[in-house]
Amino acid sequence: MDESPTVVIVPGLRDHVEDHWQTHLARRLGNVLTVPPLETDKLSRDARVAALDEVLTSVSSPVVLVAHSAGVMTVAHWARAHHRDVAGALLVTPADLELPLPESYPSLEELDRNGWLPIPRQRLPFPSTVAASRNDPLAGYRRVVGLAEGWGSRLLDLGEVGHLNPASGYGYWPRAESLVWELLESVSHAASSRTTDSESQEEHSHA
């Protein structure tokens, strides 16, 4: 099995945005896959979860998830229904779909009808970091802190970065790369620790 981790990028409801930090990140990383845009049922939670699961099923190596906005909610819903091993996840500025979003976004009624509500709050079965904004128009900071606690995530306070999208002045975001490399290093470290442990156990069994 190829032990080099694959980064799987999970966009929000707007899918591919050319100047988005996730798009820049995908170009700069080697072993990376992006969940493709939906052609139909674009607002369907089930369709989003199925698209993510299809990508994950195609990968045999360890996986690190990098999600943004409603993509974070896709990950939370996916984790509740599927059991593929995930080595770690970076969950950036999750959109709070339980409260009214700004005018250009789907309404609460639309989100509810398409299966997004309520937000899953069960502990995620893999290590995760929630990167939160202090002035996100799509989620209050305290609400995001509560989500991170429910998911068992490490909380990273990004300060005032809006929704960390091009509309907030963020195209290329250098910190994304360093945070992903931290995750990849922790995955590699965990893998080498497991190898060392199994070798040690084998030596003892032959002693």
Side-chain angles (χ1 to χ4, degrees):
M1 182 188 285
D2 178 13
E3 282 302 318
S4 174
T6 298
V7 174
V8 173
I9 291 178
V10 190
L13 295 178
R14 299 198 166 176
D15 289 312
H16 178 84
V17 177
E18 189 58 32
D19 195 34
H20 197 285
W21 62 266
Q22 286 181 310
T23 309
H24 288 283
L25 182 67
R27 290 195 194 105
R28 297 174 69 87
L29 294 176
N31 204 9
V32 60
L33 293 170
T34 299
V35 178
L38 294 180
E39 298 302 323
T40 58
D41 298 326
K42 290 177 180 287
L43 199 54
S44 165
R45 181 206 72 189
D46 287 346
R48 296 270 169 186
V49 169
L52 170 57
D53 192 56
E54 188 173 345
V55 172
L56 293 177
T57 302
S58 73
V59 179
S60 60
S61 60
V63 163
V64 166
L65 300 173
V66 179
H68 175 251
S69 189
V72 176
M73 299 308 162
T74 301
V75 169
H77 281 285
W78 174 87
R80 194 174 59 165
H82 298 275
H83 303 289
R84 187 225 195 269
D85 283 346
V86 170
L90 175 62
L91 309 173
V92 181
T93 57
D96 184 353
L97 304 183
E98 290 179 343
L99 294 177
L101 298 174
E103 210 170 272
S104 60
Y105 290 87
S107 68
L108 277 179
E109 290 76 13
E110 288 175 301
L111 292 167
D112 191 22
R113 193 165 60 245
N114 282 276
W116 292 99
L117 306 181
I119 295 170
R121 285 172 167 77
Q122 297 95 324
R123 188 177 184 86
L124 296 173
F126 42 80
S128 58
T129 296
V130 169
S133 170
R134 290 266 176 182
N135 63 339
D136 190 342
L138 272 63
Y141 182 76
R142 288 183 181 278
R143 294 266 299 175
V144 174
V145 169
L147 291 174
E149 286 174 358
W151 294 334
S153 306
R154 176 175 77 103
L155 181 73
L156 178 62
D157 183 352
L158 297 177
E160 296 189 349
V161 296
H163 192 51
L164 205 78
N165 58 0
S168 301
Y170 288 88
Y172 174 55
W173 180 43
R175 196 167 182 188
E177 217 167 332
S178 61
L179 289 169
V180 170
W181 279 115
E182 278 177 34
L183 269 172
L184 293 173
E185 283 172 15
S186 69
V187 172
S188 299
H189 179 70
S192 63
S193 295
R194 282 196 300 273
T195 303
T196 305
D197 288 346
S198 62
E199 286 173 353
S200 173
Q201 286 170 5
E202 201 170 316
E203 284 174 15
H204 282 305
S205 68
H206 291 301

